Amino acid sequence: MQMTTFLQDKQLTIALSGEIDHHSARGILHMIADKIDQFLPMLCILDFKSVTFMDSSGIAVVIHTYRRMAERQGILRLKRVPPQPRKVLEAAGMERLVTIEGREPVYEM
Amino acid sequence: MKCENQVLFTFPSRSINEAFARSAVACFAAQLDPTMEELGDIKTAVSEAVTNCIVHAYPEQIGLITLRCRILEDNVLDIVIKDKGRGIDDIARARTPLYTTGGEERSGMGFTIMESFMHELKVSSKLNKGTTVHMKRKILKRGGKS
């Protein structure tokens, strides 16, 4: 799983890519946690544009990241979530916990 | 229901095989001409079931997972995922949303997602003998196909 990060003031954007499943989730979780600990943002944005697949292991990643931010009164937002990951997030009721911005209108071929 | 085609494969409970299982089932399901959304739903459900075998059925060792896909009449994709692992003592409780015995790293949403994304889900299990997850999804026939 590749991850690029972008920091501006207290806003940290982490772009995830590839598949988020049980096999990759722990590594992703630790990478995100390390970045949050390193940069101490008040707003963390996870950019899902390049996430090609996600199952409930990704839900655990989102919940953990949400808690880590909440511990420091910070906020987590998800953006550019493609249809399949979005459907999984909604099945778990995640839109009640974190803001999910925008929508990928079509599948990219 | 009449079985029109089937495939059976067995693989060890290594997490690296989760992606393989998803892709293999998606490849087999392709003959039903599913939409991207239907394929996404099926891959997600398979991912949840296979992950359960890896995380829960065989927590301390590597065991075998058997996956059988069948095409039944009327465009029904029938998937059975079976292990010979630890087993579930209370299936109803296991199927409760957010319930997990897997600790902090698990969300407890696996069965909930399988139920939402497939049309039928049956779980049977025997302690120390294994668990069988049986799911079905009807693929809608699209214009131009008979």
Side-chain angles (χ1 to χ4, degrees):
Chain A
M1 150 72 56
Q2 273 174 289
M3 215 168 74
T4 44
T5 54
F6 174 73
L7 180 73
Q8 182 170 15
D9 298 322
K10 282 292 186 184
Q11 180 174 311
L12 174 68
T13 301
I14 302 175
L16 304 172
S17 69
E19 302 190 313
I20 309 177
D21 62 3
H22 163 250
H23 181 66
S24 62
R26 187 181 296 170
I28 294 166
L29 194 60
H30 286 157
M31 279 198 276
I32 293 172
D34 285 348
K35 292 295 171 190
I36 291 174
D37 288 349
Q38 183 183 355
F39 296 115
L40 302 172
M42 288 315 291
L43 170 62
C44 176
I45 297 174
L46 295 180
D47 186 341
F48 274 70
K49 180 169 191 286
S50 302
V51 173
T52 52
F53 173 84
M54 188 179 98
D55 67 10
S56 67
S57 309
I59 303 292
V61 170
V62 171
I63 291 175
H64 269 268
T65 307
Y66 168 83
R67 283 194 190 136
R68 199 146 198 134
M69 289 303 295
E71 273 166 16
R72 299 175 44 254
Q73 287 81 53
I75 295 171
L76 173 67
R77 264 190 230 149
L78 311 185
K79 80 171 188 184
R80 301 201 291 181
V81 184
Q84 187 274 334
R86 176 176 278 268
K87 197 165 179 182
V88 174
L89 288 163
E90 286 174 359
M94 285 290 109
E95 72 281 4
R96 285 180 268 147
L97 194 67
V98 290
T99 306
I100 304 177
E101 296 174 10
R103 182 162 216 134
E104 287 296 297
V106 291
Y107 285 95
E108 282 178 29
M109 292 295 173
Chain B
M1 273 189 122
K2 197 175 81 138
C3 172
E4 293 172 0
N5 198 4
Q6 75 171 3
V7 68
L8 180 72
F9 50 97
T10 306
F11 53 94
S13 59
R14 297 184 191 284
S15 61
I16 196 148
N17 287 329
E18 289 155 14
F20 160 69
R22 295 194 290 269
S23 295
V25 175
C27 283
F28 183 75
Q31 60 195 275
L32 290 174
D33 192 27
T35 61
M36 294 292 288
E37 184 173 357
E38 285 169 326
L39 265 183
D41 289 356
I42 292 162
K43 285 171 71 174
T44 312
V46 167
S47 202
E48 300 296 347
V50 168
T51 300
N52 277 354
C53 296
I54 293 167
V55 172
H56 299 292
Y58 303 116
E60 304 294 321
Q61 79 280 29
I62 302 293
L64 286 182
I65 300 170
T66 307
L67 201 159
R68 187 193 71 191
C69 283
R70 295 192 301 173
I71 308 282
L72 305 179
E73 60 191 1
D74 266 353
N75 270 30
V76 173
L77 180 68
D78 177 289
I79 301 170
V80 175
I81 293 169
K82 213 170 167 142
D83 65 72
K84 293 193 174 173
R86 195 165 55 162
I88 305 169
D89 63 358
D90 186 340
I91 293 175
R93 188 176 55 174
R95 287 177 69 158
T96 313
L98 301 172
Y99 177 84
T100 182
T101 55
E104 273 226 312
E105 283 179 6
R106 308 303 306 156
S107 68
M109 294 301 293
F111 279 128
T112 304
I113 286 178
M114 284 184 247
E115 270 174 45
S116 323
F117 286 29
M118 300 297 277
H119 292 158
E120 210 178 290
L121 175 70
K122 286 194 204 133
V123 182
S124 58
S125 187
K126 214 163 181 172
L127 280 182
N128 301 314
K129 288 271 195 263
T131 302
T132 301
V133 170
H134 189 170
M135 326 190 257
K136 287 185 188 174
R137 171 89 190 224
K138 187 178 165 82
I139 301 299
L140 294 178
K141 283 194 184 129
R142 296 194 278 167
K145 295 259 166 192
S146 56

mmCIF file of all heavy atoms in Angstrom, chain B residues 56-81:
data_model
loop_
_atom_site.group_PDB
_atom_site.id
_atom_site.type_symbol
_atom_site.label_atom_id
_atom_site.label_comp_id
_atom_site.label_asym_id
_atom_site.label_seq_id
_atom_site.Cartn_x
_atom_site.Cartn_y
_atom_site.Cartn_z
ATOM 1 N N HIS B 56 -10.169 -16.004 12.595
ATOM 2 C CA HIS B 56 -10.900 -16.673 13.672
ATOM 3 C C HIS B 56 -10.815 -18.190 13.640
ATOM 4 O O HIS B 56 -10.709 -18.832 14.684
ATOM 5 C CB HIS B 56 -12.368 -16.260 13.648
ATOM 6 C CG HIS B 56 -12.564 -14.799 13.842
ATOM 7 N ND1 HIS B 56 -12.288 -14.167 15.037
ATOM 8 C CD2 HIS B 56 -13.001 -13.841 12.998
ATOM 9 C CE1 HIS B 56 -12.546 -12.874 14.905
ATOM 10 N NE2 HIS B 56 -12.978 -12.643 13.685
ATOM 11 N N ALA B 57 -10.924 -18.792 12.457
ATOM 12 C CA ALA B 57 -10.942 -20.262 12.385
ATOM 13 C C ALA B 57 -9.569 -20.837 12.743
ATOM 14 O O ALA B 57 -9.457 -21.815 13.469
ATOM 15 C CB ALA B 57 -11.349 -20.718 10.991
ATOM 16 N N TYR B 58 -8.545 -20.173 12.214
ATOM 17 C CA TYR B 58 -7.178 -20.666 12.428
ATOM 18 C C TYR B 58 -6.315 -19.562 13.032
ATOM 19 O O TYR B 58 -5.381 -19.085 12.399
ATOM 20 C CB TYR B 58 -6.563 -21.104 11.101
ATOM 21 C CG TYR B 58 -7.335 -22.159 10.335
ATOM 22 C CD1 TYR B 58 -7.889 -21.869 9.088
ATOM 23 C CD2 TYR B 58 -7.480 -23.460 10.830
ATOM 24 C CE1 TYR B 58 -8.574 -22.845 8.361
ATOM 25 C CE2 TYR B 58 -8.155 -24.433 10.109
ATOM 26 C CZ TYR B 58 -8.700 -24.111 8.873
ATOM 27 O OH TYR B 58 -9.369 -25.073 8.147
ATOM 28 N N PRO B 59 -6.573 -19.171 14.276
ATOM 29 C CA PRO B 59 -5.852 -18.027 14.833
ATOM 30 C C PRO B 59 -4.366 -18.298 15.077
ATOM 31 O O PRO B 59 -3.558 -17.400 14.937
ATOM 32 C CB PRO B 59 -6.578 -17.747 16.147
ATOM 33 C CG PRO B 59 -7.275 -19.019 16.497
ATOM 34 C CD PRO B 59 -7.568 -19.719 15.228
ATOM 35 N N GLU B 60 -4.042 -19.533 15.452
ATOM 36 C CA GLU B 60 -2.668 -19.799 15.877
ATOM 37 C C GLU B 60 -1.849 -20.564 14.852
ATOM 38 O O GLU B 60 -0.655 -20.752 15.041
ATOM 39 C CB GLU B 60 -2.676 -20.612 17.194
ATOM 40 C CG GLU B 60 -3.459 -19.966 18.327
ATOM 41 C CD GLU B 60 -2.817 -18.669 18.809
ATOM 42 O OE1 GLU B 60 -1.584 -18.616 18.872
ATOM 43 O OE2 GLU B 60 -3.559 -17.706 19.076
ATOM 44 N N GLN B 61 -2.506 -21.039 13.809
ATOM 45 C CA GLN B 61 -1.755 -21.840 12.841
ATOM 46 C C GLN B 61 -2.368 -21.643 11.451
ATOM 47 O O GLN B 61 -3.397 -21.009 11.308
ATOM 48 C CB GLN B 61 -1.762 -23.322 13.240
ATOM 49 C CG GLN B 61 -3.051 -24.082 12.897
ATOM 50 C CD GLN B 61 -4.178 -23.863 13.884
ATOM 51 O OE1 GLN B 61 -4.308 -22.830 14.527
ATOM 52 N NE2 GLN B 61 -5.032 -24.846 13.985
ATOM 53 N N ILE B 62 -1.721 -22.203 10.463
ATOM 54 C CA ILE B 62 -2.255 -22.128 9.107
ATOM 55 C C ILE B 62 -3.091 -23.371 8.841
ATOM 56 O O ILE B 62 -2.639 -24.494 9.086
ATOM 57 C CB ILE B 62 -1.108 -22.046 8.064
ATOM 58 C CG1 ILE B 62 -0.208 -20.832 8.327
ATOM 59 C CG2 ILE B 62 -1.676 -22.010 6.642
ATOM 60 C CD1 ILE B 62 -0.853 -19.491 8.121
ATOM 61 N N GLY B 63 -4.311 -23.166 8.357
ATOM 62 C CA GLY B 63 -5.184 -24.291 8.027
ATOM 63 C C GLY B 63 -5.683 -24.138 6.604
ATOM 64 O O GLY B 63 -5.340 -23.174 5.916
ATOM 65 N N LEU B 64 -6.511 -25.080 6.176
ATOM 66 C CA LEU B 64 -7.005 -25.023 4.803
ATOM 67 C C LEU B 64 -8.386 -24.383 4.727
ATOM 68 O O LEU B 64 -9.237 -24.606 5.585
ATOM 69 C CB LEU B 64 -7.060 -26.429 4.200
ATOM 70 C CG LEU B 64 -5.708 -27.032 3.825
ATOM 71 C CD1 LEU B 64 -5.888 -28.397 3.208
ATOM 72 C CD2 LEU B 64 -4.946 -26.129 2.862
ATOM 73 N N ILE B 65 -8.564 -23.588 3.681
ATOM 74 C CA ILE B 65 -9.854 -22.981 3.383
ATOM 75 C C ILE B 65 -10.304 -23.538 2.036
ATOM 76 O O ILE B 65 -9.521 -23.580 1.080
ATOM 77 C CB ILE B 65 -9.723 -21.448 3.280
ATOM 78 C CG1 ILE B 65 -9.212 -20.863 4.598
ATOM 79 C CG2 ILE B 65 -11.066 -20.819 2.884
ATOM 80 C CD1 ILE B 65 -8.822 -19.396 4.530
ATOM 81 N N THR B 66 -11.561 -23.989 1.988
ATOM 82 C CA THR B 66 -12.107 -24.492 0.730
ATOM 83 C C THR B 66 -13.175 -23.530 0.249
ATOM 84 O O THR B 66 -14.044 -23.121 1.025
ATOM 85 C CB THR B 66 -12.758 -25.882 0.947
ATOM 86 O OG1 THR B 66 -11.811 -26.728 1.574
ATOM 87 C CG2 THR B 66 -13.167 -26.500 -0.376
ATOM 88 N N LEU B 67 -13.104 -23.179 -1.012
ATOM 89 C CA LEU B 67 -14.079 -22.251 -1.574
ATOM 90 C C LEU B 67 -14.706 -22.912 -2.804
ATOM 91 O O LEU B 67 -13.996 -23.330 -3.711
ATOM 92 C CB LEU B 67 -13.373 -20.945 -1.975
ATOM 93 C CG LEU B 67 -14.240 -19.701 -2.108
ATOM 94 C CD1 LEU B 67 -13.389 -18.451 -2.003
ATOM 95 C CD2 LEU B 67 -15.022 -19.698 -3.394
ATOM 96 N N ARG B 68 -16.015 -23.036 -2.780
ATOM 97 C CA ARG B 68 -16.725 -23.615 -3.928
ATOM 98 C C ARG B 68 -17.685 -22.571 -4.493
ATOM 99 O O ARG B 68 -18.478 -21.984 -3.755
ATOM 100 C CB ARG B 68 -17.503 -24.849 -3.505
ATOM 101 C CG ARG B 68 -18.139 -25.593 -4.697
ATOM 102 C CD ARG B 68 -19.157 -26.614 -4.255
ATOM 103 N NE ARG B 68 -20.355 -25.973 -3.754
ATOM 104 C CZ ARG B 68 -21.331 -26.601 -3.098
ATOM 105 N NH1 ARG B 68 -21.239 -27.895 -2.863
ATOM 106 N NH2 ARG B 68 -22.389 -25.939 -2.680
ATOM 107 N N CYS B 69 -17.578 -22.345 -5.805
ATOM 108 C CA CYS B 69 -18.513 -21.432 -6.480
ATOM 109 C C CYS B 69 -19.333 -22.249 -7.447
ATOM 110 O O CYS B 69 -18.784 -23.095 -8.164
ATOM 111 C CB CYS B 69 -17.759 -20.419 -7.340
ATOM 112 S SG CYS B 69 -17.022 -19.123 -6.422
ATOM 113 N N ARG B 70 -20.616 -21.961 -7.475
ATOM 114 C CA ARG B 70 -21.459 -22.610 -8.472
ATOM 115 C C ARG B 70 -22.336 -21.572 -9.149
ATOM 116 O O ARG B 70 -22.736 -20.587 -8.536
ATOM 117 C CB ARG B 70 -22.350 -23.659 -7.795
ATOM 118 C CG ARG B 70 -21.559 -24.822 -7.195
ATOM 119 C CD ARG B 70 -22.443 -25.979 -6.791
ATOM 120 N NE ARG B 70 -23.451 -25.598 -5.819
ATOM 121 C CZ ARG B 70 -24.423 -26.398 -5.400
ATOM 122 N NH1 ARG B 70 -24.537 -27.621 -5.875
ATOM 123 N NH2 ARG B 70 -25.295 -25.979 -4.508
ATOM 124 N N ILE B 71 -22.656 -21.839 -10.403
ATOM 125 C CA ILE B 71 -23.680 -21.060 -11.093
ATOM 126 C C ILE B 71 -24.933 -21.934 -11.086
ATOM 127 O O ILE B 71 -24.932 -23.045 -11.630
ATOM 128 C CB ILE B 71 -23.295 -20.765 -12.565
ATOM 129 C CG1 ILE B 71 -21.901 -20.156 -12.664
ATOM 130 C CG2 ILE B 71 -24.358 -19.901 -13.234
ATOM 131 C CD1 ILE B 71 -21.787 -18.701 -12.323
ATOM 132 N N LEU B 72 -25.987 -21.420 -10.454
ATOM 133 C CA LEU B 72 -27.259 -22.151 -10.425
ATOM 134 C C LEU B 72 -28.199 -21.528 -11.457
ATOM 135 O O LEU B 72 -27.964 -20.413 -11.925
ATOM 136 C CB LEU B 72 -27.868 -22.077 -9.021
ATOM 137 C CG LEU B 72 -26.967 -22.559 -7.883
ATOM 138 C CD1 LEU B 72 -27.675 -22.417 -6.535
ATOM 139 C CD2 LEU B 72 -26.525 -24.000 -8.091
ATOM 140 N N GLU B 73 -29.268 -22.233 -11.767
ATOM 141 C CA GLU B 73 -30.171 -21.695 -12.790
ATOM 142 C C GLU B 73 -30.743 -20.349 -12.335
ATOM 143 O O GLU B 73 -30.809 -20.061 -11.144
ATOM 144 C CB GLU B 73 -31.294 -22.684 -13.116
ATOM 145 C CG GLU B 73 -32.166 -23.030 -11.942
ATOM 146 C CD GLU B 73 -33.086 -24.205 -12.252
ATOM 147 O OE1 GLU B 73 -33.020 -24.754 -13.368
ATOM 148 O OE2 GLU B 73 -33.850 -24.568 -11.348
ATOM 149 N N ASP B 74 -31.123 -19.539 -13.325
ATOM 150 C CA ASP B 74 -31.630 -18.193 -13.032
ATOM 151 C C ASP B 74 -30.547 -17.234 -12.576
ATOM 152 O O ASP B 74 -30.836 -16.291 -11.829
ATOM 153 C CB ASP B 74 -32.715 -18.220 -11.947
ATOM 154 C CG ASP B 74 -34.099 -18.280 -12.568
ATOM 155 O OD1 ASP B 74 -34.208 -18.158 -13.814
ATOM 156 O OD2 ASP B 74 -35.052 -18.470 -11.818
ATOM 157 N N ASN B 75 -29.331 -17.456 -13.070
ATOM 158 C CA ASN B 75 -28.260 -16.480 -12.796
ATOM 159 C C ASN B 75 -27.900 -16.331 -11.327
ATOM 160 O O ASN B 75 -27.576 -15.229 -10.877
ATOM 161 C CB ASN B 75 -28.661 -15.095 -13.336
ATOM 162 C CG ASN B 75 -28.219 -14.908 -14.763
ATOM 163 O OD1 ASN B 75 -28.137 -15.861 -15.520
ATOM 164 N ND2 ASN B 75 -27.901 -13.683 -15.128
ATOM 165 N N VAL B 76 -27.968 -17.409 -10.576
ATOM 166 C CA VAL B 76 -27.622 -17.326 -9.155
ATOM 167 C C VAL B 76 -26.178 -17.788 -8.944
ATOM 168 O O VAL B 76 -25.793 -18.872 -9.366
ATOM 169 C CB VAL B 76 -28.578 -18.175 -8.296
ATOM 170 C CG1 VAL B 76 -28.115 -18.219 -6.840
ATOM 171 C CG2 VAL B 76 -29.988 -17.602 -8.375
ATOM 172 N N LEU B 77 -25.405 -16.943 -8.304
ATOM 173 C CA LEU B 77 -24.045 -17.304 -7.921
ATOM 174 C C LEU B 77 -24.101 -17.835 -6.488
ATOM 175 O O LEU B 77 -24.605 -17.165 -5.583
ATOM 176 C CB LEU B 77 -23.132 -16.080 -7.987
ATOM 177 C CG LEU B 77 -21.667 -16.302 -7.613
ATOM 178 C CD1 LEU B 77 -20.964 -17.164 -8.648
ATOM 179 C CD2 LEU B 77 -20.947 -14.963 -7.464
ATOM 180 N N ASP B 78 -23.609 -19.051 -6.314
ATOM 181 C CA ASP B 78 -23.692 -19.734 -5.021
ATOM 182 C C ASP B 78 -22.267 -19.961 -4.523
ATOM 183 O O ASP B 78 -21.444 -20.533 -5.224
ATOM 184 C CB ASP B 78 -24.436 -21.062 -5.258
ATOM 185 C CG ASP B 78 -24.540 -21.923 -4.016
ATOM 186 O OD1 ASP B 78 -23.511 -22.484 -3.580
ATOM 187 O OD2 ASP B 78 -25.655 -22.070 -3.496
ATOM 188 N N ILE B 79 -21.962 -19.454 -3.334
ATOM 189 C CA ILE B 79 -20.577 -19.539 -2.820
ATOM 190 C C ILE B 79 -20.577 -20.217 -1.455
ATOM 191 O O ILE B 79 -21.343 -19.819 -0.562
ATOM 192 C CB ILE B 79 -19.968 -18.125 -2.679
ATOM 193 C CG1 ILE B 79 -19.966 -17.404 -4.036
ATOM 194 C CG2 ILE B 79 -18.542 -18.201 -2.129
ATOM 195 C CD1 ILE B 79 -19.602 -15.928 -3.945
ATOM 196 N N VAL B 80 -19.717 -21.213 -1.305
ATOM 197 C CA VAL B 80 -19.558 -21.868 -0.002
ATOM 198 C C VAL B 80 -18.096 -21.744 0.414
ATOM 199 O O VAL B 80 -17.204 -22.097 -0.346
ATOM 200 C CB VAL B 80 -19.956 -23.358 -0.058
ATOM 201 C CG1 VAL B 80 -19.656 -24.035 1.278
ATOM 202 C CG2 VAL B 80 -21.430 -23.504 -0.402
ATOM 203 N N ILE B 81 -17.879 -21.224 1.609
ATOM 204 C CA ILE B 81 -16.517 -21.076 2.137
ATOM 205 C C ILE B 81 -16.444 -21.881 3.430
ATOM 206 O O ILE B 81 -17.226 -21.655 4.359
ATOM 207 C CB ILE B 81 -16.179 -19.600 2.360
ATOM 208 C CG1 ILE B 81 -16.108 -18.911 0.981
ATOM 209 C CG2 ILE B 81 -14.859 -19.433 3.099
ATOM 210 C CD1 ILE B 81 -16.052 -17.413 1.010
#
